[in-house]
Amino acid sequence: FRPGVLSYAGSGPDSRSAEIFVVMPGTSRDQLNYFGVNPWETPFGYVEGDLEDSPVPRWHAYGDMPPWGEGPDPQKIYRPDGYDYLKREFPMMDYVEKCVVVLGGEDEEEEL
């Protein structure tokens, strides 16, 4: 793992669903070495190009989920008021609105 990598997140076996995380600039070497130790932390992409020129450094990082950090509680996200919880408690959270899969070259993109 390195800054700019996108990975599925999870809280234990069979817990991975739609949550992802981006490894943020300034992540400690110890944390970088720990990412991927668990099978539910599976990298699937990266921020292409110079990370400093991307939106990533301007994102607000709440950190890992409780009890390891101040991020959202995954148990609260899937409740009927989950999006209200996120908007209320994490107003600076960013959302992925678009994803492009590069199939083989610059001219072969598929929008998801």
Side-chain angles (χ1 to χ4, degrees):
F1 280 72
R2 62 180 170 78
V5 166
L6 289 83
S7 176
Y8 287 104
S11 58
D14 301 318
S15 65
R16 185 173 61 204
S17 60
E19 289 86 27
I20 63 170
F21 66 91
V22 178
V23 179
M24 300 297 285
T27 300
S28 72
R29 174 59 44 202
D30 287 343
Q31 184 65 49
L32 290 172
N33 291 338
Y34 185 74
F35 285 141
V37 170
N38 299 306
W40 51 85
E41 295 175 342
T42 305
F44 65 88
Y46 60 91
V47 176
E48 189 174 45
D50 185 359
L51 192 59
E52 295 304 317
D53 289 336
S54 76
V56 173
R58 295 183 295 278
W59 288 349
H60 181 78
Y62 287 102
D64 205 345
M65 65 184 181
W68 303 281
E70 302 295 320
D73 182 339
Q75 301 302 317
K76 295 180 180 179
I77 294 172
Y78 292 108
R79 293 180 182 168
D81 67 339
Y83 280 107
D84 292 332
Y85 158 72
L86 291 174
K87 288 178 185 177
R88 181 181 62 250
E89 300 295 325
F90 305 95
M92 296 179 69
M93 180 177 284
D94 291 288
Y95 297 85
V96 175
E97 294 179 353
K98 177 180 174 182
C99 179
V100 175
V101 176
V102 178
L103 301 174
E106 289 183 25
D107 298 333
E108 298 181 49
E109 293 183 353
E110 177 182 343
E111 187 172 325
L112 301 177

